[in-house]
Amino acid sequence: MTIAVCLKWINASGQTDVDDDRFMGFSYADQAALEYALRVAENTNDEVIVVTAGPVGAEAVLRDAIARGAHRAVRIDIDRSHDSATIAQAIAQVVAHCALIWCGDYSSDRGSGSVPAFIAAELSFAQALGLVEIQVPADSLHPIRALRRLDGGRREQLEIHGQAVISIEGSTARLRRASLKGSMAANKQAIDIVTVNQVAIETPPTRAYRPRARTIAAPVGSSALDRVKQITDTSSAKGHGETVHLEPREAAELIVNKLREWGYQS
Amino acid sequence: MTDTDIIVVGAGPAGSCAAIAAAKAGKRVVLIERGPFPGSKNMYGGVIYPRILDELIPDWFEHAPIQRWVVRRSTMLLSDTGAFNIDYRSNAWGQAPYNGATAYRPDFDNWLAQQAVAAGAELICSTTVTGLLRDAQGRIKGITTDRPDGDLTASVVIACDGVNSFIAKDAGLYKSVDASNYTLGVKETLSLPKSVIDERFGVRDNQGVDIEILGGTSGVNGGGFIYTNLDTIALGVVLKLPKLSAQKKRPEEIIAELKRHPAIAPLIEGAEVIEYSAHVIPEAGLDMMPKMVADGLLVAGDAAALCLAAGIWLEGVNFAMASGMYAGQSAAQAVTAGNTSASELQSYTKKLNETFVLKDHKKLRKIPHLVLSDRVQHKYPGFVTGIVERMFRVENPHPKPGVRRILREERKKAGISLMDLVRDALTGLKGFG
Amino acid sequence: MSLESLRAANNIERDNTWAEISFQERIDTAEFRIHERAHITVNGDSCRGCTTRECVVACPANLFVPTSDGGILFNYENCFECGTCYLVCNQAGAITWTYPEGGYGIVFHRT
């Protein structure tokens, strides 16, 4: 099988607006993704392909990844000014045959972390996004287990079966160093180039971002003071909290209804 | 069978020229750089004189990423409040065949290393060389690096690993390492609009200015410099190490005082520090140079202390490029001959002796010491500015004093004996040839 | 030349002098890619016997900080890798100096 790692070519010096080949690299999150993909592939004997979208200078990160153990590299020759959905669409077409698609959860150049989700949506793959810990399976018979960060310090345990997009936070794994011989060989490795014309891009219509208005129910109370307090008082619990025990379907329905009632959804 | 013919350690001006020369001679060359890209570890106080590149890259002036061509060269003597300036301008220096240029080393060195890649050398960055591999006879046969599986063998190693050269030291080529042979250079890159720089320094387009300063280093032996880039000014000081620690003045304080000097402040007013940098310079010339050849090893550039710090001449990059080129050529010849012993590689030292690389150093052997001596550092700037101050101050109704009287009185005020003055003048005359 | 004497000599008011930046601002203008391994180590025991403390004055990155108990506190993170400290040090074995791992450490931009 083949597993893919998506690497974003960014300015490693932290200057987000400067594209200077000398200062470019890939983020800690992408480094962690590459490291975990290599660890998994070692145990499952999978092939690792690394993918980046960008100009010819971006091939440096692909060679770097090959020096560290990736087997093949593909550069999608595309203008990086495209939005995340378009870039994800292009990547999706290159990695559609892969069992797992590894990404950093978001890049350090103002990345929003949307590309992994877009890729999963494009390919109808399962998503395991924003992971903080990976248990690398001993062989291809066992699934990958992972921990996902939730609010309030909670963690969700995941088991990954079938085709999936995995995104991982930075600094969760230290990327291995390339061997000297590996670096020398990587300089000579051929890199596949996919041009944008080969990748059919469907640009979805975009419109300006306009947040939805939130309707808040009128406060109830006998006196005006009570009503004002109800809106402004922060010291007492306003209490949306309510404990119920329901089947998932009914629970979901209740949540949606409550959200609507509280004005979070129209 | 070795992994490659020639390993060059360090992709600075020496290393890249060594790699270009050896690759052009048809040898397999691996060029190893510890920074993420060539030039990322390099700074200087300076001007590049690239004419030596004519041999390796005939059209270098069309492609080299330089900032400005130096058309104004000033030597400035600073007292506490005065400044005596010798300024020469020649617009001819800004046209072919060109003379000196200012450049950012992360630009220039990276470009030069890419020329080595174009010539066929293999460039490996982000790799620190940690030591030398030797065979049973103690002959050098390669290097160890900090990468996994990081040993690499070759017929010749060329050490261009800079002023700290752990390779030359590891190979026992330095007799001793004495702090008094080194100076510390610290500099600020100061941002100003190009039009302001052009106006303040009296230049236009890509014409540039180079100002070397004696005095103004807060009592620490050394000197200062100002160079114009396109939209920045490089301003810094060079400080003799043992004196620096004795004076209890920190480097950035000395820069700050130089910037406040009434002759300097107006040049840089309103400029913002966009980068602070520091580097050590091998200052003592011939008197500190190591042996440059061992079995299977050559040393070039700063690693061989090939840096000329002779007061009015301050050159390093050209010496690095030349020595690197000659090292690359000698190494390639030795590989072709199938004999890379020290005696065969002596063709390198021979070449250095025949060319400006060592001829300039021999001629100017005494000058670095003279320039950094206490008298030149602490007495002469005040002496000279004192003379000029009085010569051009009109104190009517008093008549002008005679020049001889001014000389005598100023010499006494500065505390310089006639003997010392004559001695230094002779050393200078002899030294500068 | 002290700052005060300079001001007096030139009738410079304090407000007209060069606005110096703090050392932190100064060092922040340089890019350092910090590796987890310290490439320079300082043996505090050797420093206790040192009276000259040359490194404290000379290090251009101001990385050597004297401690109240007579030792030296050293930070490697903002090191220019220049070599000044081991050159000026007169206590044998006090400073162990190597370059950082390849690709890490100081990265100059416009120098």
Side-chain angles (χ1 to χ4, degrees):
Chain A
M1 281 199 301
T2 302
I3 63 183
V5 185
C6 305
L7 301 174
K8 184 173 180 185
W9 186 61
I10 58 162
N11 188 306
S13 296
Q15 302 154 295
T16 47
D17 303 328
V18 184
D19 270 9
D20 182 329
D21 286 3
R22 294 174 299 168
F23 301 110
M24 305 300 272
F26 49 110
S27 68
Y28 285 114
D30 287 1
Q31 290 178 28
L34 176 60
E35 175 61 29
Y36 276 122
L38 291 172
R39 286 184 199 173
V40 170
E42 273 166 3
N43 290 357
T44 57
N45 288 320
D46 287 334
E47 181 198 37
V48 177
I49 69 166
V50 283
V51 183
T52 195
V56 70
E59 287 178 11
V61 299
L62 298 178
R63 291 195 191 282
D64 188 358
I66 284 175
R68 294 176 206 255
H71 303 99
R72 274 198 303 127
V74 181
R75 176 173 68 86
I76 303 168
D77 193 36
I78 187 172
D79 185 350
R80 295 192 307 145
S81 60
H82 283 296
D83 61 18
S84 307
T86 311
I87 299 275
Q89 212 180 10
I91 294 173
Q93 292 179 45
V94 172
V95 298
H97 64 290
C98 296
L100 294 172
I101 298 158
W102 291 81
C103 305
D105 67 340
Y106 55 87
S107 62
S108 41
D109 62 338
R110 302 196 193 116
S112 62
S114 53
V115 166
F118 277 126
I119 294 174
E122 191 73 28
L123 298 173
S124 303
F125 279 18
Q127 306 185 9
L129 306 186
L131 306 183
V132 290
E133 204 181 304
I134 305 272
Q135 276 177 34
V136 176
D139 54 49
S140 55
L141 303 174
H142 293 83
I144 295 171
R145 288 161 187 272
L147 282 185
R148 189 165 79 96
R149 186 191 296 281
L150 297 179
D151 287 348
R154 294 181 183 83
R155 295 285 184 271
E156 182 182 30
Q157 292 188 15
L158 301 173
E159 220 176 69
I160 298 161
H161 297 272
Q163 290 181 300
V165 177
I166 301 172
S167 84
I168 178 119
E169 289 190 8
S171 304
T172 49
R174 168 172 279 283
L175 180 56
R176 66 195 61 190
R177 279 206 92 191
S179 71
L180 187 63
K181 305 283 157 66
S183 295
M184 293 171 69
N187 275 341
K188 298 184 183 86
Q189 170 112 6
I191 286 173
D192 296 336
I193 296 161
V194 179
T195 57
V196 204
N197 297 339
Q198 287 170 265
V199 183
I201 298 285
E202 254 179 67
T203 310
T206 52
R207 57 190 165 88
Y209 173 68
R210 210 172 284 129
R212 237 172 273 167
R214 184 180 147 194
T215 323
I216 299 173
V220 271
S222 49
S223 71
L225 186 63
D226 283 345
R227 291 194 293 275
V228 169
K229 245 180 158 179
Q230 210 186 332
I231 302 172
T232 57
D233 190 6
T234 52
S235 60
S236 62
K238 273 200 288 270
H240 286 329
E242 189 181 334
T243 311
V244 291
H245 296 277
L246 295 168
E247 287 304 305
R249 172 172 288 279
E250 291 153 20
E253 218 162 84
L254 182 70
I255 290 171
V256 171
N257 284 337
K258 285 287 179 194
L259 285 174
R260 199 166 284 148
E261 193 179 307
W262 295 328
Y264 288 106
Q265 200 175 12
S266 50
Chain B
M1 184 66 185
T2 52
D3 294 322
T4 186
D5 293 329
I6 295 164
I7 296 169
V8 181
V9 183
S16 290
C17 283
I20 296 170
K24 285 199 164 179
K27 299 297 169 240
R28 294 177 300 155
V29 182
V30 177
L31 175 58
I32 300 198
E33 165 61 38
R34 68 185 184 89
F37 61 87
S40 56
K41 301 286 181 186
N42 302 348
M43 66 78 84
Y44 69 154
V47 173
I48 299 174
Y49 297 93
R51 286 293 302 278
I52 188 70
L53 285 177
D54 285 352
E55 188 174 338
L56 292 178
I57 311 165
D59 59 347
W60 59 267
F61 46 85
E62 288 175 19
H63 305 288
I66 68 124
Q67 291 283 318
R68 290 176 186 256
W69 297 105
V70 174
V71 299
R72 267 187 71 191
R73 182 80 163 69
S74 295
T75 302
M76 201 184 248
L77 265 64
L78 293 185
S79 67
D80 280 7
T81 55
F84 176 67
N85 197 5
I86 303 165
D87 184 73
Y88 179 73
R89 182 186 188 111
S90 168
N91 283 6
W93 289 348
Q95 292 149 12
Y98 297 104
N99 189 31
T102 58
Y104 296 132
R105 295 287 300 279
D107 294 354
F108 185 83
D109 293 9
N110 188 52
W111 168 79
L112 201 54
Q114 297 313 322
Q115 306 312 302
V117 172
E122 191 168 349
L123 172 67
I124 309 280
C125 291
S126 298
T127 306
T128 303
V129 173
T130 51
L132 291 165
L133 290 171
R134 291 180 171 84
D135 64 14
Q137 289 78 46
R139 217 191 140 276
I140 287 146
K141 57 161 197 170
I143 53 159
T144 60
T145 70
D146 67 345
R147 282 194 184 272
D149 190 18
D151 294 359
L152 198 67
T153 58
S155 304
V156 184
V157 174
I158 305 178
C160 305
D161 52 337
V163 58
N164 288 309
S165 188
F166 292 111
I167 295 185
K169 287 171 192 164
D170 187 9
L173 300 183
Y174 272 95
K175 265 182 285 181
S176 64
V177 176
D178 179 355
S180 62
N181 290 335
Y182 295 89
T183 53
L184 167 65
V186 288
K187 101 172 175 185
E188 291 179 356
T189 308
L190 298 162
S191 166
L192 275 178
K194 180 178 186 297
S195 57
V196 174
I197 294 176
D198 287 353
E199 219 166 274
R200 287 189 192 170
F201 290 86
V203 288
R204 49 173 70 128
D205 304 325
N206 60 356
Q207 298 175 332
V209 180
D210 157 6
I211 304 175
E212 310 292 350
I213 302 164
L214 188 63
T217 45
S218 310
V220 177
N221 296 26
F225 58 84
I226 296 175
Y227 303 105
T228 54
N229 297 311
L230 270 181
D231 57 1
T232 64
I233 292 170
L235 180 150
V237 291
V238 170
L239 307 164
K240 194 165 176 164
L241 279 181
K243 280 279 178 182
L244 172 62
S245 29
Q247 282 287 336
K248 301 283 172 214
K249 277 239 169 81
R250 291 201 33 82
E252 72 277 3
E253 293 168 0
I254 299 172
I255 286 198
E257 288 195 18
L258 178 64
K259 284 166 78 176
R260 284 192 294 258
H261 192 281
I264 307 296
L267 295 176
I268 52 164
E269 193 175 310
E272 184 198 352
V273 182
I274 56 162
E275 195 162 353
Y276 176 56
S277 53
H279 215 280
V280 163
I281 306 161
E283 194 88 12
L286 213 54
D287 291 342
M288 71 181 292
M289 279 180 202
K291 280 194 205 143
M292 304 202 189
V293 176
D295 285 329
L297 179 73
L298 295 173
V299 189
D302 270 10
L306 286 167
C307 190
L308 186 71
I312 54 173
W313 289 299
L314 298 162
E315 299 168 22
V317 176
N318 51 335
F319 282 86
M321 293 192 294
S323 58
M325 174 173 74
Y326 299 140
Q329 289 165 346
S330 289
Q333 280 165 16
V335 171
T336 306
N339 175 3
T340 55
S341 67
S343 58
E344 179 75 18
L345 291 170
Q346 285 302 341
S347 63
Y348 169 55
T349 358
K350 190 160 167 274
K351 190 79 185 175
L352 296 183
N353 275 309
E354 285 166 0
T355 56
F356 77 94
V357 179
L358 283 178
K359 281 194 167 151
D360 283 358
H361 268 104
K362 283 179 190 157
K363 186 182 291 170
L364 300 168
R365 177 172 202 148
K366 295 227 154 58
I367 301 297
H369 302 291
L370 178 69
V371 171
L372 286 177
S373 71
D374 284 345
R375 256 196 314 281
V376 171
Q377 287 283 324
H378 306 305
K379 293 184 174 169
Y380 288 157
F383 175 48
V384 174
T385 50
I387 294 167
V388 183
E389 168 92 22
R390 283 184 61 192
M391 276 176 65
F392 295 110
R393 184 185 282 276
V394 179
E395 292 199 280
N396 297 348
H398 297 288
K400 290 191 197 313
V403 172
R404 254 182 306 175
R405 190 178 128 202
I406 296 179
L407 276 173
R408 192 175 56 240
E409 287 175 7
E410 287 299 317
R411 184 174 58 73
K412 282 199 177 126
K413 203 160 64 175
I416 304 166
S417 76
L418 197 57
M419 273 280 272
D420 285 338
L421 187 62
V422 171
R423 193 180 298 137
D424 290 341
L426 282 177
T427 314
L429 276 177
K430 255 197 279 176
F432 285 117
Chain C
M1 166 179 61
S2 79
L3 181 56
E4 296 312 319
S5 70
L6 178 72
R7 284 193 183 116
N10 293 287
N11 297 320
I12 295 173
E13 294 295 321
R14 179 171 283 271
D15 290 346
N16 294 339
T17 55
W18 184 263
E20 263 304 294
I21 56 172
S22 73
F23 195 83
Q24 191 58 49
E25 274 181 277
R26 173 183 294 282
I27 209 78
D28 284 348
T29 61
E31 184 193 352
F32 299 95
R33 298 188 184 168
I34 299 164
H35 193 265
E36 60 193 5
R37 178 186 72 89
H39 62 283
I40 299 172
T41 52
V42 177
N43 178 351
D45 292 338
S46 312
C47 300
R48 254 173 268 281
C50 176
T51 50
T52 51
R53 300 287 178 88
E54 313 221 354
C55 54
V56 176
V57 180
C59 170
N62 204 5
L63 297 176
F64 293 83
V65 182
T67 58
S68 57
D69 64 345
I72 292 277
L73 182 71
F74 173 73
N75 308 298
Y76 71 95
E77 287 91 344
N78 291 347
C79 175
F80 286 119
E81 301 152 31
C82 68
T84 298
C85 56
Y86 82 81
L87 284 170
V88 298
C89 181
N90 49 23
Q91 301 285 309
I95 297 178
T96 314
W97 209 95
T98 59
Y99 284 124
E101 188 173 297
Y104 287 88
I106 180 71
V107 179
F108 288 129
H109 289 228
R110 290 196 274 186
T111 54

